[in-house]
Amino acid sequence: MTNTRRGMTAEDLYQIRYVSDPQISPDGKTVVYIETMIDDDRKYRNHLFLRRFEDEQASALTDGSVRDTYPRWSPDGSQISFVSNRSGKAQIWLIDAKGGEARQLTHCKTGVSNPTWAPDGKHIVFSSQLDAGDTFADQEGEETTGNKETPKAITVERMKYKSDDNGFIYEKNRHLAVVHVETGEITQITEGAYNHTIGSWSPDGKWLAITASRTENPDFQHSIDVYLIPFAGGEWKKLTNSRGIFFYPTWSADGKKLAFIGSESDTHLNATQKRVWVYDLERGEKSCITSDWDAQVADSTIGDVRSPGHPNPGPIWSEDGNAMYVIASERGNSGIYRVSLSGHVTSVVGGDRNIYGFSLHEKEQTLVAVISDPFIPGDMYQVHLTSGEESRLTAVNHELFSGLELSIPEEIEFEAQDGWKVHGWMLKPVGYQPGKKYPMVLQIHGGPHSMYGNTFFHEFHILANQGYAVLYTNPRGSFGYGERFVQACCGDYGGKDYGDLMSAVEYACRHFDFVDENRLGVAGGSYGGFMTNWIVGQTNKFKAAVTDRSICNWVSFYGVSDIGYYFSAEEIQANPFTNPEKMWQHSPIRLVANIETPLLIMHGEQDHRCPIEQAEQLYITLKHQEKGPVSFVRFPGASHELSRSGDPEQRVLRLQYTADWFAAYMDSQVKVASE
């Protein structure tokens, strides 16, 4: 029988959908969720869907050329609040749970985020960016659309004046307010030159648990603390000690305890695993209940279809208050675990996959999770807690994927040069034939404190369809393998992490007889771009390389990145004042004279995390030293999120440039992506 299936292409991105942010109704009978797609105009769209568990199909609650996100049930289940850009900026809207026309609740000029219902169903707390000196009264009125005239001059007073997430923030801060559901009246509850994030309401509605950076000098002190704010007004209570970062505070049902996720560290905030903490409000004591569990309590999996930052439900308490449910990452998988107050950990929903969000209704013994694996970008499953039985509720890519041929990743583990175990995967080319040799591309993830895993990765399937074997691993610095492993690259960028990657290549060439060791490529973005630059400066083993959103010079990165001045101190363990030599030693640009590998450099022009000057330096230095072939591709308007949530057409172009570069310099017989 003739195989009519085809391999995956870059343009398939326009058809891929995924599901996110499921929320079970108060009665446990229905779930509301988001479906994300790219429309015919090549724009992202998010719509709300409802699915009664007893029904066969979901129904659309919203539609149109809009981005509707963050659905939340009112306490009585009669209404759903959500955030929508349908009137310009993102605002809170309300819609009857049975459907109908939505009603706009807020009219803030700069938009809002994270609306959370009070237990009384009469109020919703939300957050918004305010300029210094502004109040929420100044916010009400006609929404800005981003087309304002650019000011002639801007004064910058702080170090944290830009953000890859929010652009140039200057003197803006994130503040919280409460809106009355019936009248629309807004009451501001935070102020000052600080940033605040919503947590949750106490069961009696008298307190709000939030997180905030309210240190004396937040430019230098990066801690995030947990606070309690009395809704009726009065003195705040600070529950943590400004020695770490904490998120997602949630209340036990009796209101006597608060749980949150975070870490305490004086030296490795980025590379310290997040753990579960509990604060006993009667005793006034904070304790870490997962101190003996060497795991990252968060989803640290990297993919390239879903944008990062999926709403984290935080620790979800059991009804009896003796345990909570959390997402954690281990060995390339992220799952749901039940953690008792004594620290006992039990897997609830696991497997070789990436669980990136969930909602729980313990009375009905049901849980809804959104899940990805190497063949599923993101779908929703119902899990019955008593039996463990799973039911798939969505299959949003069935039509597209039923016509595709995709390779199955093979899990691998090998020893690095010093005996450490390193974990990864090999993806064979589509149409693999035993006895034939294939070129191989080593892919390197960003972070470095993240992990590759059992999730969908569009780029890998494209390369496999182009005739490449794809090798991807988690070198030292990755989450998922314990805290010692994740901290092992700090101060050693380009050292044993580089050794882990080269050991992976050596293992693949030795273990898989289909790999042609004379046709090897390497690619990566962010930290992966740094490592790609480093690799081609160390060895000529690779026939082609693609560096994306990369770092080449730690000395200049210090002053231009939105995180540079503190990231360098933690990760390189040096700064330009006390040890510039160490920063230079870890900078790939000093190795340009050694580079012989054809190098494609790609970068977004509005990248504030790894600013484009890094790519410019590398490109000009290579050209000035008459190195090549080298090509530089700039993406106007693109941030650091170019490859994940950037402009869809730019994402497709980036994938085509990558495949074309490898085709040109690794194997002329491999078909070109844009053909």
Side-chain angles (χ1 to χ4, degrees), residues 20-24 31 72 261 310-317 324-328 335-338 348-349 355-361 366-371 380-381 383 385:
S20 62
D21 204 5
Q23 300 291 318
I24 300 176
V31 61
R72 295 297 183 268
I261 294 171
H310 181 279
N312 190 316
I316 302 301
W317 286 87
M324 59 211 69
Y325 297 80
V326 297
I327 293 178
I336 301 172
Y337 296 82
R338 189 179 192 271
V348 177
V349 187
I355 299 174
Y356 56 94
F358 74 101
S359 181
L360 173 71
H361 198 290
T366 193
L367 178 152
V368 172
V370 279
I371 300 176
M380 186 169 63
Y381 293 73
V383 181
L385 294 177

mmCIF file of all heavy atoms in Angstrom, residues 20-24 31 72 261 310-317 324-328 335-338 348-349 355-361 366-371 380-381 383 385:
data_model
loop_
_atom_site.group_PDB
_atom_site.id
_atom_site.type_symbol
_atom_site.label_atom_id
_atom_site.label_comp_id
_atom_site.label_asym_id
_atom_site.label_seq_id
_atom_site.Cartn_x
_atom_site.Cartn_y
_atom_site.Cartn_z
ATOM 1 N N SER A 20 -5.301 25.242 26.349
ATOM 2 C CA SER A 20 -4.616 25.661 27.573
ATOM 3 C C SER A 20 -5.616 26.171 28.606
ATOM 4 O O SER A 20 -6.787 26.376 28.315
ATOM 5 C CB SER A 20 -3.585 26.756 27.263
ATOM 6 O OG SER A 20 -4.208 27.914 26.737
ATOM 7 N N ASP A 21 -5.115 26.367 29.821
ATOM 8 C CA ASP A 21 -5.802 27.013 30.938
ATOM 9 C C ASP A 21 -7.191 26.450 31.224
ATOM 10 O O ASP A 21 -8.182 27.194 31.273
ATOM 11 C CB ASP A 21 -5.891 28.521 30.688
ATOM 12 C CG ASP A 21 -6.032 29.314 31.985
ATOM 13 O OD1 ASP A 21 -5.956 28.694 33.063
ATOM 14 O OD2 ASP A 21 -6.238 30.538 31.909
ATOM 15 N N PRO A 22 -7.311 25.137 31.470
ATOM 16 C CA PRO A 22 -8.630 24.576 31.798
ATOM 17 C C PRO A 22 -9.079 24.998 33.192
ATOM 18 O O PRO A 22 -8.288 25.081 34.122
ATOM 19 C CB PRO A 22 -8.374 23.068 31.743
ATOM 20 C CG PRO A 22 -6.936 22.924 32.127
ATOM 21 C CD PRO A 22 -6.245 24.132 31.542
ATOM 22 N N GLN A 23 -10.384 25.264 33.334
ATOM 23 C CA GLN A 23 -10.952 25.651 34.621
ATOM 24 C C GLN A 23 -12.265 24.903 34.827
ATOM 25 O O GLN A 23 -13.220 25.103 34.072
ATOM 26 C CB GLN A 23 -11.194 27.170 34.673
ATOM 27 C CG GLN A 23 -9.950 28.014 34.496
ATOM 28 C CD GLN A 23 -8.998 27.904 35.675
ATOM 29 O OE1 GLN A 23 -9.437 27.905 36.834
ATOM 30 N NE2 GLN A 23 -7.707 27.801 35.397
ATOM 31 N N ILE A 24 -12.294 24.038 35.849
ATOM 32 C CA ILE A 24 -13.502 23.271 36.136
ATOM 33 C C ILE A 24 -14.499 24.161 36.876
ATOM 34 O O ILE A 24 -14.136 24.933 37.762
ATOM 35 C CB ILE A 24 -13.169 22.020 36.970
ATOM 36 C CG1 ILE A 24 -12.189 21.115 36.215
ATOM 37 C CG2 ILE A 24 -14.435 21.241 37.309
ATOM 38 C CD1 ILE A 24 -11.740 19.902 37.006
ATOM 39 N N VAL A 31 -16.041 22.192 32.077
ATOM 40 C CA VAL A 31 -14.737 22.835 32.043
ATOM 41 C C VAL A 31 -14.746 23.906 30.955
ATOM 42 O O VAL A 31 -15.291 23.714 29.865
ATOM 43 C CB VAL A 31 -13.604 21.803 31.798
ATOM 44 C CG1 VAL A 31 -13.761 21.094 30.455
ATOM 45 C CG2 VAL A 31 -12.229 22.472 31.888
ATOM 46 N N ARG A 72 -12.231 32.526 34.119
ATOM 47 C CA ARG A 72 -12.385 32.151 35.529
ATOM 48 C C ARG A 72 -13.873 32.178 35.897
ATOM 49 O O ARG A 72 -14.576 33.144 35.616
ATOM 50 C CB ARG A 72 -11.599 33.108 36.444
ATOM 51 C CG ARG A 72 -10.076 33.050 36.264
ATOM 52 C CD ARG A 72 -9.519 31.697 36.626
ATOM 53 N NE ARG A 72 -8.063 31.625 36.539
ATOM 54 C CZ ARG A 72 -7.380 31.238 35.459
ATOM 55 N NH1 ARG A 72 -8.043 30.928 34.348
ATOM 56 N NH2 ARG A 72 -6.067 31.154 35.479
ATOM 57 N N ILE A 261 4.970 28.448 46.152
ATOM 58 C CA ILE A 261 6.100 27.794 45.493
ATOM 59 C C ILE A 261 7.242 28.800 45.389
ATOM 60 O O ILE A 261 7.017 29.969 45.074
ATOM 61 C CB ILE A 261 5.697 27.285 44.098
ATOM 62 C CG1 ILE A 261 4.661 26.160 44.244
ATOM 63 C CG2 ILE A 261 6.907 26.784 43.321
ATOM 64 C CD1 ILE A 261 4.038 25.749 42.939
ATOM 65 N N HIS A 310 2.393 29.898 30.695
ATOM 66 C CA HIS A 310 1.044 29.372 30.910
ATOM 67 C C HIS A 310 0.668 29.578 32.375
ATOM 68 O O HIS A 310 1.487 29.367 33.265
ATOM 69 C CB HIS A 310 1.009 27.880 30.560
ATOM 70 C CG HIS A 310 -0.333 27.247 30.717
ATOM 71 N ND1 HIS A 310 -0.818 26.828 31.939
ATOM 72 C CD2 HIS A 310 -1.301 26.986 29.821
ATOM 73 C CE1 HIS A 310 -2.025 26.312 31.780
ATOM 74 N NE2 HIS A 310 -2.338 26.401 30.502
ATOM 75 N N PRO A 311 -0.578 30.013 32.655
ATOM 76 C CA PRO A 311 -0.959 30.257 34.050
ATOM 77 C C PRO A 311 -0.690 29.049 34.941
ATOM 78 O O PRO A 311 -1.134 27.941 34.661
ATOM 79 C CB PRO A 311 -2.470 30.536 33.943
ATOM 80 C CG PRO A 311 -2.652 31.077 32.573
ATOM 81 C CD PRO A 311 -1.663 30.344 31.713
ATOM 82 N N ASN A 312 0.062 29.270 36.001
ATOM 83 C CA ASN A 312 0.380 28.209 36.950
ATOM 84 C C ASN A 312 -0.645 28.243 38.077
ATOM 85 O O ASN A 312 -0.823 29.277 38.715
ATOM 86 C CB ASN A 312 1.791 28.409 37.507
ATOM 87 C CG ASN A 312 2.278 27.221 38.319
ATOM 88 O OD1 ASN A 312 1.553 26.652 39.131
ATOM 89 N ND2 ASN A 312 3.532 26.840 38.106
ATOM 90 N N PRO A 313 -1.356 27.137 38.335
ATOM 91 C CA PRO A 313 -2.376 27.166 39.384
ATOM 92 C C PRO A 313 -1.798 27.242 40.786
ATOM 93 O O PRO A 313 -2.529 27.483 41.749
ATOM 94 C CB PRO A 313 -3.117 25.843 39.180
ATOM 95 C CG PRO A 313 -2.100 24.934 38.565
ATOM 96 C CD PRO A 313 -1.254 25.823 37.691
ATOM 97 N N GLY A 314 -0.448 27.075 40.892
ATOM 98 C CA GLY A 314 0.154 27.053 42.220
ATOM 99 C C GLY A 314 -0.194 25.766 42.934
ATOM 100 O O GLY A 314 -0.740 24.825 42.352
ATOM 101 N N PRO A 315 0.085 25.680 44.218
ATOM 102 C CA PRO A 315 -0.278 24.481 44.973
ATOM 103 C C PRO A 315 -1.792 24.448 45.191
ATOM 104 O O PRO A 315 -2.352 25.380 45.761
ATOM 105 C CB PRO A 315 0.470 24.644 46.307
ATOM 106 C CG PRO A 315 1.327 25.862 46.161
ATOM 107 C CD PRO A 315 0.752 26.679 45.064
ATOM 108 N N ILE A 316 -2.441 23.401 44.731
ATOM 109 C CA ILE A 316 -3.890 23.256 44.892
ATOM 110 C C ILE A 316 -4.153 22.344 46.092
ATOM 111 O O ILE A 316 -3.776 21.175 46.092
ATOM 112 C CB ILE A 316 -4.536 22.664 43.631
ATOM 113 C CG1 ILE A 316 -4.228 23.547 42.416
ATOM 114 C CG2 ILE A 316 -6.034 22.507 43.825
ATOM 115 C CD1 ILE A 316 -4.699 24.968 42.528
ATOM 116 N N TRP A 317 -4.796 22.898 47.113
ATOM 117 C CA TRP A 317 -5.009 22.176 48.365
ATOM 118 C C TRP A 317 -6.050 21.068 48.216
ATOM 119 O O TRP A 317 -7.030 21.218 47.502
ATOM 120 C CB TRP A 317 -5.486 23.136 49.454
ATOM 121 C CG TRP A 317 -4.431 24.023 49.999
ATOM 122 C CD1 TRP A 317 -4.036 25.239 49.502
ATOM 123 C CD2 TRP A 317 -3.638 23.800 51.165
ATOM 124 N NE1 TRP A 317 -3.044 25.776 50.281
ATOM 125 C CE2 TRP A 317 -2.771 24.914 51.323
ATOM 126 C CE3 TRP A 317 -3.569 22.759 52.110
ATOM 127 C CZ2 TRP A 317 -1.864 25.021 52.365
ATOM 128 C CZ3 TRP A 317 -2.657 22.851 53.148
ATOM 129 C CH2 TRP A 317 -1.813 23.981 53.272
ATOM 130 N N MET A 324 -1.449 18.856 48.969
ATOM 131 C CA MET A 324 -1.704 19.736 47.829
ATOM 132 C C MET A 324 -1.182 19.079 46.566
ATOM 133 O O MET A 324 -0.350 18.164 46.601
ATOM 134 C CB MET A 324 -1.092 21.108 48.052
ATOM 135 C CG MET A 324 0.381 21.112 48.279
ATOM 136 S SD MET A 324 0.875 22.458 49.366
ATOM 137 C CE MET A 324 0.192 21.962 50.941
ATOM 138 N N TYR A 325 -1.692 19.566 45.433
ATOM 139 C CA TYR A 325 -1.328 19.045 44.124
ATOM 140 C C TYR A 325 -0.495 20.097 43.389
ATOM 141 O O TYR A 325 -0.853 21.281 43.367
ATOM 142 C CB TYR A 325 -2.587 18.722 43.320
ATOM 143 C CG TYR A 325 -3.451 17.644 43.928
ATOM 144 C CD1 TYR A 325 -4.327 17.936 44.975
ATOM 145 C CD2 TYR A 325 -3.393 16.333 43.461
ATOM 146 C CE1 TYR A 325 -5.126 16.950 45.535
ATOM 147 C CE2 TYR A 325 -4.202 15.339 44.020
ATOM 148 C CZ TYR A 325 -5.058 15.659 45.060
ATOM 149 O OH TYR A 325 -5.850 14.676 45.615
ATOM 150 N N VAL A 326 0.608 19.636 42.772
ATOM 151 C CA VAL A 326 1.513 20.558 42.073
ATOM 152 C C VAL A 326 2.032 19.908 40.797
ATOM 153 O O VAL A 326 1.993 18.684 40.640
ATOM 154 C CB VAL A 326 2.715 20.954 42.959
ATOM 155 C CG1 VAL A 326 2.283 21.698 44.203
ATOM 156 C CG2 VAL A 326 3.557 19.727 43.327
ATOM 157 N N ILE A 327 2.537 20.735 39.895
ATOM 158 C CA ILE A 327 3.273 20.263 38.716
ATOM 159 C C ILE A 327 4.763 20.282 39.048
ATOM 160 O O ILE A 327 5.261 21.241 39.638
ATOM 161 C CB ILE A 327 3.005 21.145 37.490
ATOM 162 C CG1 ILE A 327 1.541 21.010 37.046
ATOM 163 C CG2 ILE A 327 3.924 20.771 36.328
ATOM 164 C CD1 ILE A 327 1.177 21.886 35.863
ATOM 165 N N ALA A 328 5.481 19.226 38.651
ATOM 166 C CA ALA A 328 6.924 19.179 38.851
ATOM 167 C C ALA A 328 7.586 18.540 37.636
ATOM 168 O O ALA A 328 6.955 17.787 36.886
ATOM 169 C CB ALA A 328 7.275 18.404 40.118
ATOM 170 N N GLY A 335 4.835 16.267 35.436
ATOM 171 C CA GLY A 335 3.622 15.579 35.845
ATOM 172 C C GLY A 335 2.974 16.256 37.029
ATOM 173 O O GLY A 335 3.467 17.263 37.544
ATOM 174 N N ILE A 336 1.860 15.694 37.469
ATOM 175 C CA ILE A 336 1.124 16.218 38.624
ATOM 176 C C ILE A 336 1.378 15.295 39.808
ATOM 177 O O ILE A 336 1.256 14.067 39.692
ATOM 178 C CB ILE A 336 -0.375 16.326 38.325
ATOM 179 C CG1 ILE A 336 -0.609 17.250 37.117
ATOM 180 C CG2 ILE A 336 -1.134 16.846 39.544
ATOM 181 C CD1 ILE A 336 -2.045 17.266 36.625
ATOM 182 N N TYR A 337 1.722 15.901 40.941
ATOM 183 C CA TYR A 337 2.071 15.144 42.138
ATOM 184 C C TYR A 337 1.224 15.628 43.312
ATOM 185 O O TYR A 337 0.844 16.794 43.392
ATOM 186 C CB TYR A 337 3.546 15.321 42.476
ATOM 187 C CG TYR A 337 4.482 14.773 41.424
ATOM 188 C CD1 TYR A 337 4.790 15.517 40.280
ATOM 189 C CD2 TYR A 337 5.068 13.516 41.567
ATOM 190 C CE1 TYR A 337 5.649 15.026 39.316
ATOM 191 C CE2 TYR A 337 5.934 13.012 40.605
ATOM 192 C CZ TYR A 337 6.219 13.766 39.479
ATOM 193 O OH TYR A 337 7.068 13.271 38.530
ATOM 194 N N ARG A 338 0.962 14.693 44.229
ATOM 195 C CA ARG A 338 0.301 15.029 45.485
ATOM 196 C C ARG A 338 1.352 15.050 46.584
ATOM 197 O O ARG A 338 2.103 14.078 46.771
ATOM 198 C CB ARG A 338 -0.782 13.994 45.812
ATOM 199 C CG ARG A 338 -1.682 14.364 46.993
ATOM 200 C CD ARG A 338 -2.739 13.281 47.199
ATOM 201 N NE ARG A 338 -3.792 13.707 48.112
ATOM 202 C CZ ARG A 338 -3.762 13.544 49.434
ATOM 203 N NH1 ARG A 338 -2.697 12.963 49.996
ATOM 204 N NH2 ARG A 338 -4.765 13.954 50.182
ATOM 205 N N VAL A 348 0.414 11.548 40.613
ATOM 206 C CA VAL A 348 -1.018 11.478 40.331
ATOM 207 C C VAL A 348 -1.259 11.287 38.837
ATOM 208 O O VAL A 348 -2.035 10.432 38.419
ATOM 209 C CB VAL A 348 -1.744 12.746 40.837
ATOM 210 C CG1 VAL A 348 -3.224 12.708 40.476
ATOM 211 C CG2 VAL A 348 -1.557 12.895 42.339
ATOM 212 N N VAL A 349 -0.621 12.111 38.017
ATOM 213 C CA VAL A 349 -0.695 11.992 36.562
ATOM 214 C C VAL A 349 0.728 12.093 36.041
ATOM 215 O O VAL A 349 1.363 13.144 36.174
ATOM 216 C CB VAL A 349 -1.579 13.092 35.925
ATOM 217 C CG1 VAL A 349 -1.765 12.810 34.441
ATOM 218 C CG2 VAL A 349 -2.926 13.188 36.619
ATOM 219 N N ILE A 355 2.968 17.839 31.107
ATOM 220 C CA ILE A 355 1.720 18.391 31.628
ATOM 221 C C ILE A 355 1.995 19.834 32.028
ATOM 222 O O ILE A 355 2.827 20.106 32.889
ATOM 223 C CB ILE A 355 1.217 17.567 32.826
ATOM 224 C CG1 ILE A 355 0.938 16.131 32.374
ATOM 225 C CG2 ILE A 355 -0.038 18.206 33.427
ATOM 226 C CD1 ILE A 355 0.574 15.190 33.486
ATOM 227 N N TYR A 356 1.318 20.765 31.382
ATOM 228 C CA TYR A 356 1.652 22.175 31.561
ATOM 229 C C TYR A 356 0.547 22.989 32.225
ATOM 230 O O TYR A 356 0.675 24.203 32.381
ATOM 231 C CB TYR A 356 2.059 22.806 30.222
ATOM 232 C CG TYR A 356 1.060 22.687 29.104
ATOM 233 C CD1 TYR A 356 0.135 23.695 28.859
ATOM 234 C CD2 TYR A 356 1.051 21.571 28.278
ATOM 235 C CE1 TYR A 356 -0.777 23.600 27.826
ATOM 236 C CE2 TYR A 356 0.137 21.461 27.235
ATOM 237 C CZ TYR A 356 -0.772 22.476 27.010
ATOM 238 O OH TYR A 356 -1.678 22.380 25.976
ATOM 239 N N GLY A 357 -0.512 22.344 32.653
ATOM 240 C CA GLY A 357 -1.575 23.050 33.372
ATOM 241 C C GLY A 357 -2.638 22.071 33.818
ATOM 242 O O GLY A 357 -2.805 21.002 33.224
ATOM 243 N N PHE A 358 -3.378 22.418 34.884
ATOM 244 C CA PHE A 358 -4.450 21.533 35.324
ATOM 245 C C PHE A 358 -5.427 22.288 36.215
ATOM 246 O O PHE A 358 -5.146 23.371 36.722
ATOM 247 C CB PHE A 358 -3.895 20.316 36.068
ATOM 248 C CG PHE A 358 -3.394 20.576 37.465
ATOM 249 C CD1 PHE A 358 -4.169 20.260 38.577
ATOM 250 C CD2 PHE A 358 -2.131 21.122 37.690
ATOM 251 C CE1 PHE A 358 -3.712 20.485 39.868
ATOM 252 C CE2 PHE A 358 -1.667 21.344 38.971
ATOM 253 C CZ PHE A 358 -2.463 21.033 40.072
ATOM 254 N N SER A 359 -6.611 21.672 36.382
ATOM 255 C CA SER A 359 -7.637 22.161 37.291
ATOM 256 C C SER A 359 -8.204 20.954 38.023
ATOM 257 O O SER A 359 -8.339 19.875 37.439
ATOM 258 C CB SER A 359 -8.732 22.883 36.504
ATOM 259 O OG SER A 359 -9.750 23.392 37.356
ATOM 260 N N LEU A 360 -8.534 21.135 39.302
ATOM 261 C CA LEU A 360 -8.920 20.013 40.156
ATOM 262 C C LEU A 360 -10.279 20.277 40.800
ATOM 263 O O LEU A 360 -10.560 21.389 41.238
ATOM 264 C CB LEU A 360 -7.859 19.825 41.250
ATOM 265 C CG LEU A 360 -8.145 18.817 42.360
ATOM 266 C CD1 LEU A 360 -8.060 17.399 41.827
ATOM 267 C CD2 LEU A 360 -7.144 19.013 43.508
ATOM 268 N N HIS A 361 -11.116 19.232 40.846
ATOM 269 C CA HIS A 361 -12.364 19.284 41.613
ATOM 270 C C HIS A 361 -12.396 18.016 42.454
ATOM 271 O O HIS A 361 -12.859 16.963 42.007
ATOM 272 C CB HIS A 361 -13.573 19.367 40.678
ATOM 273 C CG HIS A 361 -14.816 19.855 41.363
ATOM 274 N ND1 HIS A 361 -15.499 19.099 42.300
ATOM 275 C CD2 HIS A 361 -15.505 21.041 41.259
ATOM 276 C CE1 HIS A 361 -16.543 19.774 42.728
ATOM 277 N NE2 HIS A 361 -16.573 20.964 42.109
ATOM 278 N N THR A 366 -12.292 14.503 40.172
ATOM 279 C CA THR A 366 -11.903 14.675 38.777
ATOM 280 C C THR A 366 -10.853 15.769 38.638
ATOM 281 O O THR A 366 -10.828 16.737 39.416
ATOM 282 C CB THR A 366 -13.136 14.997 37.908
ATOM 283 O OG1 THR A 366 -12.799 14.861 36.530
ATOM 284 C CG2 THR A 366 -13.628 16.426 38.136
ATOM 285 N N LEU A 367 -10.008 15.568 37.671
ATOM 286 C CA LEU A 367 -8.927 16.512 37.376
ATOM 287 C C LEU A 367 -8.872 16.653 35.861
ATOM 288 O O LEU A 367 -9.027 15.671 35.132
ATOM 289 C CB LEU A 367 -7.612 15.963 37.933
ATOM 290 C CG LEU A 367 -6.299 16.730 37.728
ATOM 291 C CD1 LEU A 367 -5.343 16.415 38.883
ATOM 292 C CD2 LEU A 367 -5.614 16.346 36.410
ATOM 293 N N VAL A 368 -8.662 17.880 35.402
ATOM 294 C CA VAL A 368 -8.479 18.126 33.970
ATOM 295 C C VAL A 368 -7.078 18.677 33.759
ATOM 296 O O VAL A 368 -6.673 19.645 34.423
ATOM 297 C CB VAL A 368 -9.538 19.104 33.426
ATOM 298 C CG1 VAL A 368 -9.217 19.497 31.990
ATOM 299 C CG2 VAL A 368 -10.917 18.478 33.490
ATOM 300 N N ALA A 369 -6.336 18.046 32.862
ATOM 301 C CA ALA A 369 -4.957 18.461 32.588
ATOM 302 C C ALA A 369 -4.794 18.758 31.106
ATOM 303 O O ALA A 369 -5.445 18.135 30.259
ATOM 304 C CB ALA A 369 -3.982 17.372 33.005
ATOM 305 N N VAL A 370 -3.932 19.733 30.793
ATOM 306 C CA VAL A 370 -3.537 19.983 29.409
ATOM 307 C C VAL A 370 -2.161 19.376 29.215
ATOM 308 O O VAL A 370 -1.243 19.605 30.019
ATOM 309 C CB VAL A 370 -3.573 21.475 29.050
ATOM 310 C CG1 VAL A 370 -4.992 21.900 28.724
ATOM 311 C CG2 VAL A 370 -3.022 22.347 30.157
ATOM 312 N N ILE A 371 -2.030 18.581 28.162
ATOM 313 C CA ILE A 371 -0.881 17.688 28.017
ATOM 314 C C ILE A 371 -0.319 17.770 26.604
ATOM 315 O O ILE A 371 -1.069 17.832 25.620
ATOM 316 C CB ILE A 371 -1.288 16.238 28.339
ATOM 317 C CG1 ILE A 371 -1.799 16.132 29.790
ATOM 318 C CG2 ILE A 371 -0.126 15.277 28.124
ATOM 319 C CD1 ILE A 371 -2.324 14.761 30.170
ATOM 320 N N MET A 380 -6.462 18.358 25.947
ATOM 321 C CA MET A 380 -7.015 18.305 27.297
ATOM 322 C C MET A 380 -7.515 16.890 27.612
ATOM 323 O O MET A 380 -8.150 16.244 26.785
ATOM 324 C CB MET A 380 -8.164 19.309 27.397
ATOM 325 C CG MET A 380 -8.752 19.473 28.777
ATOM 326 S SD MET A 380 -9.876 20.900 28.856
ATOM 327 C CE MET A 380 -11.156 20.409 27.708
ATOM 328 N N TYR A 381 -7.220 16.460 28.842
ATOM 329 C CA TYR A 381 -7.602 15.134 29.310
ATOM 330 C C TYR A 381 -8.300 15.257 30.659
ATOM 331 O O TYR A 381 -7.912 16.069 31.500
ATOM 332 C CB TYR A 381 -6.373 14.238 29.475
ATOM 333 C CG TYR A 381 -5.676 13.881 28.181
ATOM 334 C CD1 TYR A 381 -4.912 14.825 27.496
ATOM 335 C CD2 TYR A 381 -5.764 12.604 27.642
ATOM 336 C CE1 TYR A 381 -4.260 14.510 26.314
ATOM 337 C CE2 TYR A 381 -5.118 12.267 26.464
ATOM 338 C CZ TYR A 381 -4.366 13.224 25.801
ATOM 339 O OH TYR A 381 -3.723 12.902 24.634
ATOM 340 N N VAL A 383 -9.000 13.195 34.139
ATOM 341 C CA VAL A 383 -8.442 12.100 34.918
ATOM 342 C C VAL A 383 -9.339 11.863 36.128
ATOM 343 O O VAL A 383 -9.631 12.803 36.886
ATOM 344 C CB VAL A 383 -7.002 12.419 35.385
ATOM 345 C CG1 VAL A 383 -6.436 11.234 36.173
ATOM 346 C CG2 VAL A 383 -6.106 12.760 34.200
ATOM 347 N N LEU A 385 -9.654 10.632 39.667
ATOM 348 C CA LEU A 385 -8.657 10.454 40.709
ATOM 349 C C LEU A 385 -8.750 9.093 41.389
ATOM 350 O O LEU A 385 -7.737 8.520 41.795
ATOM 351 C CB LEU A 385 -8.782 11.565 41.755
ATOM 352 C CG LEU A 385 -8.449 12.978 41.271
ATOM 353 C CD1 LEU A 385 -8.679 13.985 42.383
ATOM 354 C CD2 LEU A 385 -7.014 13.061 40.772
#
